[in-house]
DNA sequence: CGGATTTGACCTGCGC
DNA sequence: GCGCAGGTCAAATCCG
């Protein structure tokens, strides 16, 4: 009887080991006290109602209540701290992913360069005689390409090998700058004097510095657009927005509304909401910029996707982006998703568009299906997917029982209905398909570019092959 | 009364 | 330089 009771108490443990002992103590004390009371009640019939005993009981009762209150307060405090740590962890994951993508693309570029070095020299001479090619390339080759140029130009006198340290230093500095910088309302990069790290100040020329600044500006300006059917004026995506303007844009009688993120002062993220001219039931939401503050889980996936997509669009994974410049729009329909994803660099800023309007009722709720074969295996356990999974859990806990978190590492994805547009945005952020679509779209563009414009047909440039 | 929204004015970039 | 279009500002207004 008694061992059974103790086992029950131990099984009530939570994740806070520090609490466990105190809680156990409390519960054990309670039970011991109850048992003692029972024993006393049975054996001291003649003396149980004395005043001394009553006051003693009251005292113990108060102590017990106080202990319980203390433990509860401690538990709440630890819970709050746990939530904060979760948010911080998500942020760190985001930063890690962006940095990793930069590094991988840089290394790929270097490999490609080494392989093509002899031929590239010839081409370079020819290009210099026809300057237009260089100019055109420089325009879009501002992402990792620019960083790689910086790295290579700086290290060419040292070693033919890509040492990594200067590259990393530069990439790090850019990442760090992106994180630490206070952005202007326009999302442009501030120009604090001496933002470059002291580690490698000689590596970067004035021209490179400007290119790097332009790169980061373009990354900030890269956009993710979501098309979804909604009757509401704006889909809720987990963030707080304040409307700061409205315009009638040319070619669309529906006004375009401008929103600014108000979750933190100075957050540069904006979004535009406009109804489609052809189909007024379609709401087009365009996100721009990176949040400068921790996000709620509901907004995490979207924000990280925006950031990752923007970075990838301009990254060295695309040796230059003239491929998509030429093709303007690259549509991809993923096997694992009914969402149509398009990439466009013909707009003033590169834009990833996810069209959810073609995703009606083809699938029943909670039906799992194999993940896209185009999806890189190493991304299955990626923070972005984890965030999506977390979000699924979050939404489920919010009462949205239609969303079931699944373990993507088991090659399954989550399917959610798109019929109810009130939850469309949440579904977008919760949908691993969304991120998968973006990753595959970007990878596809790289392949597209290689097929069309680059004599390097190495498919390992695709994100999906990076892990192999 | 404070915060959010509206809306006309203003700024900026781009093409001619 | 001028006009146009997109984007932003900020005073006025609305609303809870």
């Amino acid at each position: 009887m008694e061992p059974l009771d103790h086992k029950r108490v131990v099984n009530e443990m939570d994740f806070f080991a520090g609490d466990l002992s105190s809680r156990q103590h409390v519960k054990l004390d309670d039970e011991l006290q109850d048992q003692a009371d029972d024993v006393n009640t049975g054996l001291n019939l003649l003396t149980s109602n004395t005043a001394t005993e009553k006051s003693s009981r009251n005292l113990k009762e108060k102590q017990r209540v106080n202990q319980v209150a203390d433990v509860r307060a401690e538990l709440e405090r630890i819970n709050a701290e746990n939530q904060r740590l979760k948010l911080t962890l998500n942020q760190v994951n985001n930063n890690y992913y962006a940095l990793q993508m930069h590094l991988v693309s840089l290394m790929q570029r270097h490999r490609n360069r080494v392989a093509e070095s002899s031929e590239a020299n010839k081409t370079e001479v020819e290009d210099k005689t026809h300057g237009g090619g260089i100019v055109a390339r420089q325009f879009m080759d501002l992402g990792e390409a620019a960083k790689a140029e910086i790295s290579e130009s700086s290290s060419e006198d040292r070693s033919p090998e890509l040492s990594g340290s200067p590259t990393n230093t530069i990439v790090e500095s850019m990442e760090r700058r992106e994180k630490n910088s206070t952005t202007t309302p326009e999302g442009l990069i501030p120009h604090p004097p001496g933002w470059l790290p002291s580690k490698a100040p000689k590596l970067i020329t004035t021209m490179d510095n400007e290119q790097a600044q332009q790169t980061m500006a373009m990354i900030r300006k890269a956009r993710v657009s979501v098309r979804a059917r909604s009757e509401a004026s704006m889909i809720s995506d987990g963030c707080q927005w304040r409307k700061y303007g409205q315009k009638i844009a040319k070619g669309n009688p529906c006004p375009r509304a401008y929103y600014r993120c108000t979750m933190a002062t100075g957050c540069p993220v904006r979004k535009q909401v406009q109804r489609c001219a052809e189909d007024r039931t379609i709401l087009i939401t365009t996100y721009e910029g990176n949040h400068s503050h921790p996000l709620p889980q509901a907004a995490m996936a979207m924000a990280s996707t925006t950031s990752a997509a923007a970075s990838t669009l301009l990254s060295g994974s695309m040796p230059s982006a003239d491929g998509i410049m030429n093709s303007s729009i690259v549509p991809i329909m993923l096997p694992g998703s009914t969402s149509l994803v398009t990439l466009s660099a013909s707009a003033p800023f590169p834009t990833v568009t996810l069209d959810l309007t073609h995703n009606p009722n083809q699938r029943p709720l909670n039906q799992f299906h194999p993940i896209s074969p185009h999806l890189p295996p190493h991304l299955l356990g990626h923070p972005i997917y984890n965030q999506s999974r977390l979000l699924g859990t979050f939404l489920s806990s919010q009462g949205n029982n239609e969303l079931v978190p699944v373990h993507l590492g088991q090659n399954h994805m989550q399917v959610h209905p798109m019929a109810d547009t009130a939850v469309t945005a949440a579904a977008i952020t919760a949908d691993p398909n969304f991120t998968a679509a973006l990753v595959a779209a970007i990878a596809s563009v790289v392949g597209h570019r290689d097929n069309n414009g680059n004599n390097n047909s190495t498919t390992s440039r695709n994100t999906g092959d990076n892990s192999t």
Side-chain angles (χ1 to χ4, degrees), chain A residues 13 49 51 111 191 259 261 263 435:
Chain A
M13 69 176 288
N49 289 330
R111 282 198 300 269
H191 306 282
Y259 294 89
C261 178
M263 292 195 76
T435 310

Side-chain angles (χ1 to χ4, degrees), chain A residues 94-106 143-144 146-148 150-151 163-181 194-200 203-204 212 215-216 219-220:
Chain A
N94 289 344
N95 297 344
Y96 168 76
Y97 178 50
L99 193 57
Q100 191 178 42
M101 291 185 72
H102 286 316
L103 181 61
V104 167
S105 57
L106 276 172
E144 289 310 301
K147 297 177 200 170
I150 293 168
S151 170
S163 63
S165 59
T167 303
N168 287 345
T169 302
I170 294 166
V171 172
E172 263 178 36
S173 70
M174 298 186 80
E175 289 294 332
R176 186 166 53 242
R177 183 163 154 260
E178 171 145 81
K179 285 294 158 198
N180 295 340
S181 64
W195 65 266
L196 290 167
S198 57
K199 289 180 187 175
L203 302 182
I204 301 173
T215 299
M216 303 312 294
I219 286 174
R220 285 180 197 287

